[in-house]
Amino acid sequence: MDKLILGILAHVDAGKTTLSEAMLYAGGQLRKLGRVDHQNAFLDTDVQERERGITIFSKQAVLPLGDVEFTLLDTPGHVDFSSEMERTLQVLDYAVLVISGTDGVQSHTRTLWQLLERYNVPTFLFVNKMDLGGADRAALLASLQSGLSAACVDFSTEDGDFLENVAMCSEETLAAYLETGRVETAEIRALIAARKLFPCWFGSALKLDGVEAFLRGMARYARVPQYPEEFGAKVYKIGHDAQGARLTYLKVTGGALPVKSVLSGGAGDRAWSEKADQLRIYSGGKYRLAETVPAGGVCAVTGLTKTYPGEGLGAEPDTPAPVLDSFLTYQVILPADCEPHTAVQRLRLLEEEDPQLHVVWNEQLRELHVQLMGEVQLEVLQRLLLDRFGMAVTFGPGSIVYRETIEAPVEGMGHFEPLRHYAEVHLLLEPGPRGSGLRFASRLSEDVLDRNWQRLILTHLEERSYPGVLTGSPITDMKISLVAGRAHLKHTEGGDFRQATYRAVRHGLLHAKSILLEPWYTFRLEVPQQHVGRAIADLQRLCAESAPPETAGGNAVITGSAPVSELRGYALEVAAYTRGLGSLACMPAGYRPCHNAAAVVAAIGYDAEHDTENTGDSVFCAHGSGFVVNWREAAAHMHVESGLRFDAPEEAAAPDAPAVRTLRPFASDKELMAIFERTYGPVKRRDLRPQSAVRAEEAGGRALWPVPDRDTDPEYLLIDGYNILFAWDDLKKTAARDIDTARQILMDRLCNYQSVSRSICILVFDAYRVPRDTADVFRYHNITVVFTKQAETADTYIERATYEIGRKHRVRVATSDFAEQMIVLGHGARRMSASELRIEVDEAENRLRGTLDAWNARERGRHVNRPLQGLDEKSK
């Protein structure tokens, strides 16, 4: 019987496990239909899964349909267990993406769709919960086509325009359809397998509505792949049974796997060869033993102790590192009766089952840390340790997992020569591309250092992670090459090169210019149109890099990237201020330079020079005893010359970063100009005059703003008053109580700013509902304040003023209104967000305060000396 692996994926609570249960029941594999809320679902075998009502560990079940035996892999839907789901994708032939009929395409649904695209998995879609109120089939199909792919086609009823919709997914298929009026089943299978067509079914898994049609459709349109004759297998999961036996879950991708066959893997010193004792075919919590597993089948193998998820066996290559990674770290607080060594061993077993659970022991602080995806995973881990090992642990507050790399190549040197020991190592540390990790190589001739010593050095480089010098975070994105080394014929031992290698890495890091890296997300923020301003302001505050908003239905969609540290918890904030109508979908985007590196380094307070476990000092020998040479002077004592030269002229040092965090602009002027020109054509100032523009002489001869001497070439700063007032949190709170007071405070602060600024400030307020024929323009101290005339908004006034003033002078406009920014950019003005204006105003007030303090101090000194001078005159 042909075999196919079918993975079931969904956003949490979309009904994924319920659909799996319904498919097994409709396919005749279950006598009784279980339910998640009744805690008796066939695939929810773990106690925590039944208690929480979510899938935590991927499970499998066998489902024969006609001539094909499907193996269902039910994967976790919660985002905290995404790594468990992603590891399953690498062995799937097809996937079923379950969509909630009441919620539609949700944030995690888009993440799953991107992963399915990355792993090139053909996908069927089942829209569940269609029995509930508010589930509209036409609207849901439209949202699938707009939110996921235009190739989503309704297969529930294969009549009407069905064949035409299928044919539209491929030019070749469309041409054949127009000629013959038919689309063959084989062609539909090919389109699905090539991810050019995504069949959609609608129904209710809980009520078994549409499930049988869905099964018939899968059996008809799934195509069995052709496998090679040579043996190959892919490991996708490590687990343990109730008796503690280690299980290696794998898919056979070529040939066949007989029981008791010898499997091998690894390379070099890490090569292994072990026997497959049992081949278990699991279905739910039970299994049967198999003598042979053919290509296309999955099984759990006992007897293998060295395998790991993602490893390829036989002809199958290893899988690249997963996209989803652990970004959070927590300190493990052990009970008083638990030894750290024992706790580490037990956590290593769980780490083996979930590679995204990283266990880190900090020898210097004597602290145990775990790195994972989120707080739900943390709670599950706490329960696992209690149930399996009886360890009642607690956890400290979570923090971000940082990384470090270097900016330019540097040579690291390590020498280890206490009495009767000898080893020297020279390494070249080079920065690598983002996401490349650590790579190791040798550029040294075997005539200089024997092959066995070189292999030993490379093994020592690979056997551990190395802390950076800024925060002690692991280094990454570097290539480390062996360029020189020396051994002694009599005194060198293997451990000597370990010491010399570690010291060489640390020596190079201490001399290099290090860069702190932090994890970033790519995001998709969807909010109702009335909340766009709030969303843009938030993204600026969160240091996001984003594209201009796009319209999707009645909502605005903003895509971009932002630091993980800033976006933590923002999804809940979006749901709150949009009253549940907005959504935020995040996808890990790797590591980038930290946006607030100075603050992070200061907060962590890592002292690289006093980390005795990671020293860059070298040990030399003289007069029969060893002595330590500080890393700064170690190069002068080395016995070997590597020949490396770094003679490139050094660039001028960059100025120190400001103490305050710099807010990133929403989009660059260049990007906005490109958008403007795509929309309205090339910018020609004289021709881009707005329809509402009125020349200054048409205003009855009255100047709406002061015109200074043209020779001074001043810069005008037009400020959208109410936009700024409601963008600054303190003024916004004041305005909620008294709008006039808030307006007065803003005017006073801008007067202070004007006194130290070279710009001429014009503050514009909306007064379009106030009956007046002309704008009310007056001087308030040293700034100009404008209240617009009736039926004229501040946007219109600023647009007109920008056009008129911009013909002769430089103009800036302070507003966070994106549409207004686009308009003024087309008139040649520079733009400025409310946050940027706040920074400049604060800096101006600080300068004023410093000047006044200095003047007052000088005046106090004069008053103190004056009476003494008067006494001297009287005494005379």
Side-chain angles (χ1 to χ4, degrees), residues 14-29:
K16 171 179 52 59
T17 302
T18 303
L19 177 62
S20 302
E21 197 85 5
M23 292 169 64
L24 292 171
Y25 181 80
Q29 300 304 301

Side-chain angles (χ1 to χ4, degrees), residues 717 719 746-761 779-784 840-852:
L717 175 59
I719 303 163
L746 177 60
M747 292 163 61
D748 290 336
R749 295 198 65 182
L750 289 175
C751 287
N752 294 335
Y753 172 73
Q754 174 72 82
S755 63
V756 297
S757 172
R758 296 183 179 179
S759 301
I760 297 176
C761 295
R779 294 287 292 176
Y780 179 75
H781 300 312
N782 56 348
I783 67 173
T784 299
E840 289 196 8
V841 170
D842 289 344
E843 290 177 351
E845 290 179 341
N846 289 335
R847 289 174 57 188
L848 276 176
R849 192 174 295 110
T851 303
L852 290 174

Side-chain angles (χ1 to χ4, degrees), residues 183 359 480 804:
V183 179
V359 181
I480 303 179
E804 293 294 339

